[in-house]
Amino acid sequence: MFWSLDPFGTVKGVIESWQPKGCTTEKDFEQSLLKELQKKLKKQRIQTQYGLGRQRIDIVVDGKVPIELKKDLKRTSALQRAVGQLEQYLQDWDHLFLVLCGDIEPDLLKTLEKYAGGKEDDLEALLSSLPFGTEKIIIMVKR
């Protein structure tokens, strides 16, 4: 994998190809993704429950690529909690992955996508070479 050229794209490819099996809890999904990242990104340092200030993000690859996992987005309260966490993370990270696992209420997913879409960078950033283009939050759904 071409880590040094595009670390975010490399991690995105691993998440896209990841096939979680037998996972019933958020921790199960986290451990499954961790194993997949370790298998495919052998030379990168992969940390779980990475602390930054008072926040802990689920996985960080090489200190550069943060990944937050959420399982079963079925209630408005879970959506509100996720948005609050994302707001905190965006104070410390320019971009991050949000991986949704399990049961996801379609209306809540649309709301979350709308929120994430509002977190795009301005035109000047669009013209620069950001790893995600203008997206600050990349939402990926794994069932």
Side-chain angles (χ1 to χ4, degrees), residues 91-104:
Q91 291 178 18
D92 297 311
W93 303 96
D94 291 331
H95 304 279
L96 63 96
F97 286 102
L98 174 62
V99 181
L100 301 174
C101 307
D103 296 327
I104 299 142

Side-chain angles (χ1 to χ4, degrees), residues 35-76:
K35 287 177 186 175
E36 186 74 8
L37 289 164
Q38 289 171 333
K39 183 171 88 174
K40 298 216 172 141
L41 303 175
K42 292 180 174 140
K43 294 183 179 182
Q44 273 57 58
R45 182 176 182 198
I46 302 166
Q47 297 172 269
T48 59
Q49 297 303 312
Y50 185 87
L52 199 59
R54 292 176 48 168
Q55 296 291 322
R56 291 200 174 278
I57 196 154
D58 292 321
I59 299 172
V60 173
V61 181
D62 233 17
K64 299 175 186 173
V65 183
I67 305 166
E68 179 67 14
L69 287 95
K70 292 291 174 204
K71 181 182 179 293
D72 296 341
L73 186 65
K74 298 189 281 190
R75 299 177 195 263
T76 302

